[in-house]
């Protein structure tokens, strides 16, 4: 149901130097599903994974995770976050997002900042063109602005 390739719940694994490819999850996290814990997800190739809802490549809901130097390519989500769906305060740094798709929002990535989180830093990440990012405000009271992107 969650995490077609890898499912991590309340754990702190290091997921490094893997090819996570052509997995499917009917609910969330086609390639990986991570909830809680302090995982490090780095130097992976996350390719051509699918889900019907959130996070085609990676679905993550935690604070304090490291997501760095990964390639998110060709992942598909039926709702939000084709490459990455991230909720909470996580370090998202130096990743590459190419040719990911989401039916509703966030073709490359969809980020929701949790109430306890510090958000994400995308300054060193690359999102391949043609992608458009627009500042949005959540309908949840007292939520800070978020960014959502679309890649036609």
């Amino acid at each position: 149901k969650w995490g077609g390739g890898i499912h991590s719940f309340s754990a702190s694994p290091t997921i490094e130097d893997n090819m996570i490819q052509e997995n499917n999850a009917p609910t969330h996290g086609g390639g990986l599903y991570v909830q809680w814990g302090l995982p490090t997800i780095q130097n992976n190739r996350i390719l051509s994974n699918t889900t019907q809802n959130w996070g085609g490549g990676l679905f993550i809901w935690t604070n304090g995770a490291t997501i760095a130097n990964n390639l998110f390519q060709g992942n598909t989500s039926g709702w939000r976050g084709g490459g990455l769906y991230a909720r909470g305060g996580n370090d998202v740094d130096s990743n590459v997002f190419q040719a990911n798709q989401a039916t509703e929002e966030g073709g490359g990535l969809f980020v929701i900042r949790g109430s306890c989180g510090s958000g994400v830093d995308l300054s060193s990440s690359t999102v391949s063109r043609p992608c458009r990012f627009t500042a949005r405000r959540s309908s949840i009271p007292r939520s800070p602005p978020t960014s959502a992107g679309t890649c036609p």
Side-chain angles (χ1 to χ4, degrees):
K1 186 172 181 176
W2 298 320
I6 297 172
H7 181 125
S8 174
F9 182 80
S10 237
S12 299
T14 297
I15 301 169
E16 183 174 19
D17 296 322
N18 296 287
M19 183 170 300
I20 302 163
Q21 184 173 17
E22 296 179 4
N23 297 288
N24 179 277
T27 306
H28 305 309
L32 300 96
Y33 176 92
V34 177
Q35 187 172 358
W36 306 335
L38 294 172
T40 299
I41 302 167
Q42 62 187 20
N43 301 317
N44 297 289
R45 294 171 50 99
I46 302 169
L47 311 171
S48 303
N49 299 286
T50 60
T51 187
Q52 292 175 356
N53 289 317
W54 300 341
L58 166 62
F59 173 97
I60 187 160
W61 188 339
T62 192
N63 288 305
T66 299
I67 305 164
N69 301 307
N70 298 288
L71 170 63
F72 292 87
Q73 184 177 55
N75 300 289
T76 304
S77 168
W79 190 252
R80 294 177 170 159
L84 167 66
Y85 177 98
R87 181 174 191 133
N90 299 294
D91 179 14
V92 180
D93 188 40
S94 301
N95 296 282
V96 176
F97 297 88
Q98 296 177 336
N100 298 286
Q101 299 177 34
T103 304
E104 294 297 321
E105 299 174 304
L109 61 151
F110 185 90
V111 177
I112 294 178
R113 185 196 233 168
S115 59
C116 299
S118 59
V120 296
D121 176 8
L122 298 173
S123 60
S124 297
S125 296
T126 302
V127 180
S128 67
R129 293 180 61 200
C131 290
R132 198 171 13 156
F133 287 84
T134 348
R136 296 189 168 201
R137 186 155 303 272
S138 171
S139 60
I140 300 169
R142 290 179 270 152
S143 290
T146 58
S147 293
T150 57
C151 297

